[in-house]
Amino acid sequence: MDEAGLIKDAQQGDLDAFNRLILAYQDRVYNQAFRVLGDSQSADDAAQDAFISAYKNLRSFRGGSFRAWLLRIVTNACYDELRRRKRRPTTPLEPVDDEGDEIESPHWIADPGELPEDNIVRSELGDAIQECLDRLPEDFRVVVVLVDVQGLDYLEASDVIGKPLGTIKSRLARARNRMRECLQGFWELLPHSMRLET
Amino acid sequence: MSKLERDLEALSAYLDGELTENERERIERLLETDQDLQNWYEQLMRTRSVLRSTPQLRAPRNYFLTPEMVGQKEKRGRAFPILRFASAFAALLLVVLFLGDLFVIPKPVLAPSRAIQMAEAVQMEMEQPEMEAEIFADQPAAAPAEPLAEEFQMEGESAAEAADENISSSMDSASTMEKALPTQYPAPAEEVEPMLGGAAEPELESDQVLESRAPTELIEDESQQGLDFQAIIRIAEFGLLFIVITTGIAAFYLYLRSRSF
């Protein structure tokens, strides 16, 4: 994929070229939104809004990392959604069992195709990670998702959230520390190689 | 920020290779001597490994954009659908008019006049014997030759050609008329002589006059009407063509402008 050529075409109004860029980045954008917001519906909306906003503001892209530029847009969309939630808090409709107790890991969250045991363990690990991420303050969560989940370096993360490198280092260290504490209760879900990794 | 917090932050950055040379050397010396810091470093590594193993979710759907989603349709403006409709409608009218002009609308210039000409020619064929008799009866006076000659002069070349064809077959009558004409009329011009010779021949005279006079007037009238009608059609076609082209170009311009906002 000639990313630079597609970006140039899209800047001149070629929607098909931009849709090819969407195809290349939509999983990454959706993941960012899902890990920051914590639910699929909000992540879906944020990803769609992010791509629309990206297309409308494509002329403001002056080169550099297109991935980082897209992640900045979707991160801003996530912040907007988080602010909206604070203004109008909602009670999620969690499923309950026969006795009225809330089901922590409802079956409809899991992918019905994941029947092998490894996939089930991985799904549970993913849920555990998401639960710990949800407990983080928003600013910490955004940074740790950008660096440790999306694989950005500090400079790119700094560009995405518009903060200096020192802020990235500080927030990331604190986020990792909190994640370490949170994940203490889920070590049994970790693959053996990860437990022994030094 | 406490020293421990500062060391933990540096350790996190050390894990990612984001420290300066001096900071890296300082952390490495601390890790060699501080067992608690080393334990924390190992836990930090595992935490980062867990985070990096986070399952990458697939997008639940494609987020492809349509022109409506990004407002391209509205950017074309209100004039776009009007221009597009005008262009299409004018093109349709043009096609209908052109096809009608080609196949449906009769040609008034030729058809009726030709029919009149043919009908009168047939009628003259039927009346020919009686007219011959009358002409030969009036021949000594030769009075009818004057208006006939004038008519033939005015009719021009077509009459002359017809007369030429009949000269050879009417030499006897012509010689009779030549004797009569010089006494009453001045000598005609050289180029008119064949016509006069033809005009003097009674059969040719009656044919040419009746066949060409009244139908010629009709032809002129009908031709004028037909030309007027054809001119209107042509003007309408060119007008529609102009509308098709101008509105089409304007609509296409708006479309291109909407795509490159």
Side-chain angles (χ1 to χ4, degrees):
Chain A
M1 181 184 69
D2 177 19
E3 185 177 288
L6 290 176
I7 292 170
K8 187 178 178 182
D9 290 345
Q11 283 177 325
Q12 293 172 348
D14 187 346
L15 198 55
D16 292 336
F18 190 75
N19 282 334
R20 291 180 64 185
L21 291 168
I22 288 177
L23 195 61
Y25 286 104
Q26 61 183 3
D27 288 345
R28 193 179 291 270
V29 167
Y30 174 76
N31 265 278
Q32 176 72 13
F34 181 82
R35 294 304 174 195
V36 172
L37 296 175
D39 76 276
S40 57
Q41 186 58 54
S42 298
D44 186 43
D45 292 342
Q48 184 69 81
D49 291 345
F51 281 121
I52 292 173
S53 178
Y55 184 75
K56 289 182 174 177
N57 296 284
L58 197 55
R59 293 207 167 190
S60 67
F61 177 68
R62 302 294 183 195
S65 171
F66 188 68
R67 176 185 64 164
W69 186 75
L70 274 180
L71 289 176
R72 177 167 58 190
I73 292 174
V74 72
T75 300
N76 288 333
C78 291
Y79 275 128
D80 291 341
E81 171 62 17
L82 291 171
R83 279 193 287 270
R84 192 188 64 79
R85 285 181 186 178
K86 284 179 183 174
R87 287 197 302 270
R88 288 178 291 178
T90 55
T91 303
L93 296 172
E94 298 291 347
V96 294
D97 58 18
D98 295 338
E99 297 177 355
D101 296 328
E102 192 174 285
I103 301 173
E104 291 186 353
S105 299
H107 64 87
W108 44 264
I109 287 179
D111 186 339
E114 292 187 11
L115 291 178
E117 188 176 342
D118 288 346
N119 288 343
I120 292 173
V121 170
R122 187 162 61 244
S123 174
E124 289 181 351
L125 176 61
D127 292 344
I129 293 170
Q130 189 60 49
E131 190 174 329
C132 291
L133 284 171
D134 290 343
R135 294 179 187 176
L136 290 176
E138 295 164 9
D139 292 337
F140 291 5
R141 193 189 316 154
V142 167
V143 173
V144 79
V145 170
L146 286 172
V147 176
D148 284 339
V149 177
Q150 297 285 0
L152 271 61
D153 59 31
Y154 286 18
L155 195 61
E156 286 178 313
S158 168
D159 185 40
V160 168
I161 66 170
K163 298 290 182 184
L165 280 176
T167 304
I168 301 297
K169 284 182 187 177
S170 172
R171 288 182 182 178
L172 184 61
R174 294 182 186 188
R176 281 171 172 170
N177 191 34
R178 294 199 186 193
M179 286 297 291
R180 180 186 62 82
E181 292 171 357
C182 177
L183 288 171
Q184 291 286 347
F186 299 99
W187 286 123
E188 72 277 6
L189 296 175
L190 295 178
H192 191 65
S193 59
M194 287 187 184
R195 294 179 196 175
L196 296 179
E197 188 178 357
T198 56
Chain B
M1 181 187 291
S2 67
K3 181 179 182 302
L4 179 62
E5 286 177 336
R6 194 171 61 247
D7 287 344
L8 290 178
E9 184 179 314
L11 204 58
S12 173
Y14 172 74
L15 194 64
D16 297 322
E18 296 277 355
L19 286 179
T20 62
E21 185 67 19
N22 290 337
E23 276 290 295
R24 188 176 60 80
E25 289 175 357
R26 187 181 74 81
I27 289 296
E28 285 176 348
R29 282 197 302 272
L30 280 174
L31 283 173
E32 288 174 0
T33 57
D34 191 334
Q35 187 62 40
D36 289 342
L37 198 64
Q38 195 170 7
N39 290 339
W40 196 90
Y41 175 70
E42 289 173 359
Q43 290 182 23
L44 190 64
M45 283 183 65
R46 281 187 291 204
T47 302
R48 192 183 68 161
S49 296
V50 170
L51 287 169
R52 288 190 171 181
S53 70
T54 304
Q56 291 295 311
L57 304 173
R58 289 182 63 83
R61 62 188 175 91
N62 287 323
Y63 295 107
F64 294 150
L65 302 183
T66 62
E68 290 74 19
M69 291 169 72
V70 294
Q72 282 190 349
K73 192 173 184 179
E74 287 72 16
K75 285 178 180 294
R76 290 172 185 164
R78 292 179 182 176
F80 178 76
I82 297 172
L83 289 171
R84 185 177 57 181
F85 175 78
S87 180
F89 188 68
L92 185 66
L93 275 181
L94 180 63
V95 170
V96 170
L97 190 61
F98 182 76
L99 291 178
D101 185 27
L102 210 59
F103 299 114
V104 179
I105 299 173
K107 298 292 185 282
V109 178
L110 299 176
S113 59
R114 182 67 64 193
I116 292 169
Q117 281 181 314
M118 292 177 68
E120 293 195 353
V122 170
Q123 186 182 1
M124 290 308 300
E125 287 292 332
M126 295 172 65
E127 294 174 353
Q128 187 175 358
E130 297 174 7
M131 292 180 69
E132 274 184 11
E134 289 175 4
I135 289 169
F136 279 112
D138 298 338
Q139 202 171 41
E146 181 182 1
L148 288 177
E150 290 176 356
E151 285 292 339
F152 274 103
Q153 283 178 338
M154 295 183 68
E155 286 300 322
E157 291 184 3
S158 61
E161 288 172 3
D164 283 339
E165 291 175 2
N166 292 310
I167 284 174
S168 59
S169 62
S170 59
M171 287 301 292
D172 293 337
S173 301
S175 60
T176 305
M177 290 298 296
E178 281 171 357
K179 291 174 183 175
L181 282 172
T183 59
Q184 297 181 22
Y185 304 103
E190 288 293 327
E191 61 269 21
V192 182
E193 279 202 56
M195 290 198 320
L196 285 173
E201 208 285 314
E203 184 179 353
L204 178 62
E205 173 193 318
S206 58
D207 275 348
Q208 290 298 322
V209 169
L210 294 173
E211 189 173 303
S212 61
R213 181 171 182 168
T216 300
E217 291 172 356
L218 280 173
I219 288 171
E220 287 175 354
D221 291 343
E222 290 167 357
S223 296
Q224 190 59 43
Q225 292 174 359
L227 285 174
D228 291 345
F229 186 71
Q230 289 294 315
I232 291 170
I233 295 293
R234 290 288 175 271
I235 290 170
E237 286 176 348
F238 278 112
L240 285 172
L241 186 63
F242 178 76
I243 292 172
V244 169
I245 292 173
T246 52
T247 55
I249 289 174
F252 187 63
Y253 169 74
L254 290 177
Y255 171 76
L256 288 181
R257 197 181 64 174
S258 70
R259 284 179 62 87
S260 57
F261 59 91

